Amino acid sequence: MQIALSDTVKDLALALPGSTRVFEKFGIDYCCGGERSLAEACARARVEPNFIVGKLAQLEQTPLPTVNWVEAPLTQLIEHILDKHHVFTRAELTRLETLFVKVCAKHGAFQPALVKAEALLQALRDELLPHMQKEERVLFPYVKQLEEAASIGRPLPIAPFGTVQNPVRMMMREHDTAGEMLREMRRLTNGYAVPEEACASWRSLYLGLQELEADLHEHIHLENNVLFPRAVALESEG
């Protein structure tokens, strides 16, 4: 495909397998900020746009095997989100909280930003756990019913929330909040730069925070840019 600086980051993330890895590496927001053009996103990340275009062009020459979530069944996409992202997020939040307690006990007195980062992770946890629960108990089951009804020509199920657009809007607002927390976490940790005096636990903590950030970016991208628009379209077509 022809890559233009006017293309939105979201569209590039959907069209090019592996592009999210490039965006992640260079700090380009492709989930909550996916509607921005590549040029604007690169400017915000302070990276040369044509350099990123070159990296994306290389992906076309060596495409990575991947599921096309734009065309895969919504039920398959939901199961992928649950099995890969929800499970990982819950496990990592617990693990990282334990690491934070250990690291702050040793270094927190001299590293106030570290203590603030610990509190921020707890706030992120308090935001994400009920968020995922609402998806699992309310939104995702309805989307599965929606797809099943559409596939066999049955009348669409009556939504307890009026229209799927209502929970989608709520989930996207909560995604924005989580995205702001991730940006603040990166700022507090100086981009997850480990100080020279950092112990093994501190290094493990920052590596884990980076991995959590990357996974949440992909997680939010799949919901904001793929699952939610497709669910809304499916309901409107019915």
Side-chain angles (χ1 to χ4, degrees):
M1 63 177 285
Q2 185 68 33
I3 301 169
L5 294 179
S6 58
D7 291 337
T8 66
V9 178
K10 174 190 73 175
D11 289 341
L12 290 169
L14 293 174
L16 289 173
S19 62
T20 57
R21 297 183 185 181
V22 174
F23 295 148
E24 199 70 52
K25 181 177 180 180
F26 294 99
I28 295 172
D29 183 2
Y30 62 91
C31 52
C32 297
E35 296 294 342
R36 297 190 185 101
S37 69
L38 181 60
E40 182 182 357
C42 287
R44 284 174 173 262
R46 298 181 180 180
V47 61
E48 170 57 43
N50 289 324
F51 172 76
I52 298 299
V53 169
K55 290 290 185 181
L56 296 176
Q58 291 175 12
L59 295 176
E60 291 193 288
Q61 299 169 12
T62 55
L64 298 174
T66 185
V67 177
N68 184 350
W69 295 119
V70 176
E71 297 179 359
L74 290 178
T75 296
Q76 182 184 353
L77 174 55
I78 286 171
E79 292 305 318
H80 171 77
I81 290 171
L82 292 173
D83 294 343
K84 183 178 188 296
H85 298 296
H86 282 207
V87 169
F88 176 83
T89 299
R90 284 191 173 97
E92 279 301 280
L93 286 171
T94 299
R95 186 180 75 87
L96 293 173
E97 278 189 317
T98 301
L99 267 176
F100 252 127
V101 169
K102 183 178 181 180
V103 173
C104 285
K106 184 175 182 180
H107 302 283
F110 307 100
Q111 295 285 343
L114 196 58
V115 177
K116 290 180 181 178
E118 179 186 23
L120 186 59
L121 183 74
Q122 292 174 353
L124 181 63
R125 178 183 182 276
D126 292 343
E127 178 74 22
L128 289 175
L129 293 185
H131 172 91
M132 292 188 294
Q133 192 171 72
K134 284 181 285 189
E135 290 181 334
E136 293 163 2
R137 294 185 177 181
V138 181
L139 179 56
F140 288 176
Y142 176 74
V143 173
K144 288 182 177 181
Q145 294 171 20
L146 197 64
E147 183 175 56
E148 181 183 8
S151 68
I152 60 177
R154 193 172 65 198
L156 299 184
I158 298 174
F161 31 71
T163 168
V164 74
Q165 295 181 50
N166 290 328
V168 160
R169 278 193 291 266
M170 178 184 292
M171 295 300 102
M172 292 185 71
R173 284 197 298 269
E174 292 177 0
H175 285 169
D176 288 342
T177 299
E180 290 170 5
M181 290 180 175
L182 290 173
R183 286 189 288 274
E184 178 63 8
M185 182 72 76
R186 179 168 280 276
R187 187 192 70 78
L188 285 170
T189 59
N190 192 27
Y192 302 112
V194 183
E196 290 183 6
E197 71 273 17
C199 60
S201 294
W202 196 344
R203 294 177 187 277
S204 178
L205 171 64
Y206 274 20
L207 177 60
L209 289 171
Q210 282 184 283
E211 291 172 346
L212 177 66
E213 178 191 64
D215 188 81
L216 282 171
H217 284 165
E218 183 184 353
H219 179 175
I220 293 172
H221 162 66
L222 287 175
E223 292 186 355
N224 279 12
N225 301 330
V226 186
L227 178 62
F228 295 165
R230 289 185 60 192
V232 169
L234 190 60
E235 185 185 60
S236 65
E237 290 166 2

